[in-house]
Amino acid sequence: MTTTHCPYCALQCAMHLEPGADGRLAARPAPFPTNRGGLCRKGWTSADLLTAPDRLTTPLLRADRSAPLAPTDWDTALDHVAGRLAALRAEHGPDSVAVFGGGGLTNEKSYQLGKFARVALRTAQIDYNGRFCMSSAAAAGNRAFGLDRGLPFPLTDVAGAATVLLAGANPAETMPPLMGHLSAPRLVVVDPRRSATAAYALANGGLHLAPRPGTDTALALGLLHAARAQGLCDDAYIAERTTGFAAAWPGAAAWWPEQAEHTTGVPAALIREAARALADPGGAYILTGRGTEQHAKGTDTVSAWINLALALGLPGRRGSGYGCLTGQGNGQGGREHGQKADQLPGYRRIDDPAARAHVAGVWGVDPDDLPGPGRSAYELLDALGAPGGPRALLLFGSNPVVSAPDTGRVADRLAALDLLVVADFVPSETARRADVVLPVTQWAEEDGTMTGIEGRVLRRRAAAPPPPGVRTDLEVLHGLAVRLGQPADRFSADPGAVLAELGAASAGGPADYSGVTPERLDSGEELYWPAPAGGAPTPRLFLDAFAHPDGRARFAPVAHRPPAETTDPAYPLIATTGRIMGHYQSGAQTRRIGELAAAEPAAHVEVHPDTAARNGLGDGDWALVESRRGTTRARVRHRADARLDTVFLPFHYAGDQAANNLTNPALDPVSRMPEFKVSAVRLRPDRPQGGTA
Ligand SMILES: Nc1nc2c(c(=O)[nH]1)N[C@H]1C(S)=C(S)[C@@H](COP(=O)(O)OP(=O)(O)OC[C@H]3O[C@@H](n4cnc5c(=O)[nH]c(N)nc54)[C@H](O)[C@@H]3O)O[C@H]1N2
Ligand SMILES: Nc1nc2c(c(=O)[nH]1)N[C@H]1C(S)=C(S)[C@@H](COP(=O)(O)OP(=O)(O)OC[C@H]3O[C@@H](n4cnc5c(=O)[nH]c(N)nc54)[C@H](O)[C@@H]3O)O[C@H]1N2
Ligand code: SF4
Ligand SMILES: [Mo]
């Protein structure tokens, strides 16, 4: 029996892997603080993917764009990739090669991918899917606190609070075991939908605030106004622990709860009641999720939530606080070690000369040879194959033809490349478009570390050998680096060696991992970063001081603004997107698991029955959902509790059922987060292919 953590979300539930009667591995829950001995349906079935019928076990290569992908051997595949990359670099310069990573990669892979881009390829063009995930919260957290660790406290702390406000998070579906920590506090759920979490709150004496999508900034400003008007702000904390309140307050001064009601649709009385609940002397947490963050103003919206938290004196105190619920398995560690365009390991900035000197020293290169910051994820995808843009893309751990906004455009950009290389363990929709596919190991076949939702570093342990013919991502990077002329020892394929190097590269940085060792992890020590060598780890940040030089948190002056695209007579409805319990992300993994695929086989769209009827649609009918960017097919699911002006689609399906055919790639000016949560759409029956089954 091997104990490891789930391959999917940031809760990183602990699990035992053991061979069942048929000899195949099966997952069972293991005791751990975040999951309290539970697993969701995805965790229970996760081991099925190890033996997926279409599991990739041999490299695939196509001779040219019109030829099919055909099996080949590793040397041929890696020689081909390295040869093409070298030729493109020689002809067009290092920035003609781009790298795209993911928040599911271990710390070791994230680190190595960033180093590979900067040292072996010397390209500035690297970014990752975390940009589509929690980047707005990270930007706002850095702005307010001087440091971004999604939860700056252990998750178990929230169970003791009187009130927890969840802004745009639906953990009842996205992290079901997390709900075990939320049974005692009174919940305030901010979600345009009566989500499973909102329904749970209402059933347990909590509140559901259902704003029109894209109006959360006004709601958070209204809550701040209501808090101050009711005398609930903590003036001593504001004076002693923060700066900038006087400059930020005018942004809220006009948002009387009645004015906020007018913009958001949330009754003023509910806004006042929520403000009182947050000021409960028993402590409160404000936690944000993607619903409030994935907007072209997501950074300012999160700042508005943090302003509210600061005005109430919540952050940096035991028993209360602000946090972002990071999403992907290694969404936290994946944003710290250099696969982000503007970043070096240890959460250092790539434009900081001292950071460059330190990391270059560890890498044995000249700091001047490290490229500067490159394009953000969507901007990178959008530049592929365009004049002056990258001509080759190496992709590890993402499926952007399903998960990036405006997929039609992204598919066109990928098609314009000279070379697309995808490392994956299944033939994802993006892998099937590649020129070279490299088959890699899965979570249960590899060692490494992940950093869960709390900033705690965890050990991933191999439970079974990989199928013959499959290599680890670290082995792939090693093989390519050597072929690109790097010394054989510069890109180790041993996760332990990479962790030690990552520790040295991160030492002294904001996310210091120099004290993270396999021995300490195996002893069960709770290694929350910063975890410096020879020092204690940090379960709770900010108790004494925030991370800005003056030790104070900063209010950010923010104003409400409408979504990038508003409704009009041609596109009268708002489509918002998100998740259902039984599928994960682009669905590349969960759509291949029989039990999960059978339960939710096709895309659906949640619609109020009156809105459906006005568009000629009944429950169960196939609908066409159209935006200015594209069309998707989905089966109508009546929701009598839905807003009349809003429909909801999960984004886990591909092709003509991809929600991202609709979405707007308008970007947040600070985080470069796309506006996944608001598109203007219309509905009509999909008569030719439609009908109820
Ligand atoms: N089952 C499942 N679990 C997952 C994942 C998965 O794909 N499937 N992915 C993991 C990852 S990477 C992430 S990032 C997390 C995400 O976890 P969540 O943030 O909980 O997930 P979402 O469903 O994207 O969004 C949450 C809610 O935001 C609401 N929302 C939409 N628009 C708005 C708005 O304008 N304002 C507000 N306040 N709310 C709005 C939606 O109705 C939805 O219920 O889940 C993780 N866990
Ligand atoms: N409309 C809409 N779109 C969204 C969102 C939304 O709410 N609405 N949410 C966004 C968010 S929060 C996220 S996080 C993204 C996620 O979307 P994606 O980036 O597409 O994430 P996944 O579907 O997890 O894709 C991971 C791919 O990498 C493979 N993979 C997994 N682990 C590894 C590994 O260790 N190595 C390698 N080489 N491959 C691996 C998997 O098989 C899969 O094909 O989607 C974003 N897109
Ligand atoms: S909640 Fe997340 S980590 Fe836990 S079993 Fe489900 S998918 Fe896995
Ligand atoms: Mo995410």
Side-chain angles (χ1 to χ4, degrees), residues 223-556:
L223 281 158
L224 176 53
H225 191 291
R228 195 163 193 219
Q230 297 179 93
L232 304 170
C233 291
D234 187 337
D235 295 327
Y237 173 101
I238 294 173
E240 285 156 27
R241 299 211 56 189
T242 72
T243 58
F245 180 75
W249 171 251
W255 291 100
W256 288 91
E258 285 71 17
Q259 180 64 31
E261 171 174 348
H262 181 73
T263 299
T264 65
V266 178
L270 259 185
I271 296 176
R272 292 197 172 91
E273 188 180 351
R276 286 195 298 275
L278 286 170
D280 190 299
Y285 289 87
I286 294 177
L287 304 176
T288 59
R290 303 306 84 77
T292 205
E293 300 166 6
Q294 288 172 326
H295 296 268
K297 56 173 178 296
T299 306
D300 280 356
T301 302
V302 177
S303 286
W305 291 116
I306 295 176
N307 287 350
L308 174 64
L310 291 173
L312 294 167
L314 307 181
R317 278 185 167 164
R318 271 181 190 267
S320 66
Y322 162 79
C324 148
L325 298 172
T326 292
Q328 297 184 83
N330 198 30
Q332 181 67 54
R335 72 198 199 227
E336 300 164 0
H337 299 300
Q339 54 175 335
K340 191 160 171 268
D342 53 5
Q343 192 189 65
L344 289 172
Y347 224 138
R348 289 184 158 94
R349 295 184 59 99
I350 203 167
D351 56 6
D352 168 5
R356 293 170 69 87
H358 172 83
V359 174
V362 174
W363 289 348
V365 298
D366 184 336
D368 292 338
D369 287 346
L370 294 179
R375 295 177 174 90
S376 75
Y378 183 77
E379 290 162 298
L380 178 60
L381 294 173
D382 197 41
L384 298 175
R391 306 174 80 107
L393 178 70
L394 307 182
L395 194 137
F396 290 77
S398 182
N399 187 13
V401 297
V402 178
S403 58
D406 195 1
T407 43
R409 190 174 170 106
V410 168
D412 287 349
R413 297 324 318 158
L414 291 174
L417 283 168
D418 293 358
L419 178 71
L420 174 62
V421 181
V422 176
D424 209 315
F425 32 76
V426 289
S428 72
E429 287 73 19
T430 309
R432 276 191 252 124
R433 290 162 192 262
D435 303 290
V436 183
V437 179
L438 303 172
V440 293
T441 49
Q442 291 190 38
W443 101 110
E445 299 156 354
E446 59 186 28
D447 290 301
T449 61
M450 307 282 280
T451 304
I453 189 165
E454 314 167 291
R456 177 177 168 185
V457 188
L458 308 170
R459 191 100 135 86
R460 172 179 276 193
R461 291 185 187 82
V470 163
R471 293 191 181 177
T472 67
D473 291 293
L474 291 179
E475 287 168 342
V476 169
L477 292 173
H478 172 84
L480 287 175
V482 170
R483 285 172 176 79
L484 289 165
Q486 293 292 312
D489 57 356
R490 188 173 267 168
F491 288 88
S492 174
D494 169 34
V498 178
L499 177 64
E501 191 186 307
L502 181 167
S506 72
D512 187 332
Y513 279 49
S514 57
V516 177
T517 62
E519 296 71 34
R520 284 180 85 178
L521 290 169
D522 283 343
S523 77
E525 199 180 344
E526 301 190 3
L527 294 180
Y528 297 85
W529 70 253
T538 319
R540 292 175 190 82
L541 291 162
F542 313 141
L543 291 181
D544 300 322
F546 294 98
H548 287 303
D550 62 1
R552 290 167 179 244
R554 296 179 184 165
F555 281 89

Side-chain angles (χ1 to χ4, degrees), residues 8-10 40 42 132-134 166-171 173-176 190-193 195 209 211-216 288-292 294-295 305 325-329 576-586 648 651-652 677-678:
Y8 301 119
C9 86
C40 81
K42 298 185 300 301
F132 298 158
C133 186
M134 55 348 96
L166 294 162
N170 181 20
E173 295 216 49
T174 55
M175 297 182 183
V190 180
D191 195 312
R193 293 190 303 144
S195 65
L209 281 51
R212 182 176 162 92
T215 63
D216 286 40
T288 59
R290 303 306 84 77
T292 205
Q294 288 172 326
H295 296 268
W305 291 116
L325 298 172
T326 292
Q328 297 184 83
T576 191
T577 62
R579 297 160 164 83
I580 58 173
M581 189 199 299
H583 281 299
Y584 190 67
Q585 315 275 61
S586 71
F648 170 84
F651 78 101
H652 312 297
K677 293 297 198 249
V678 183

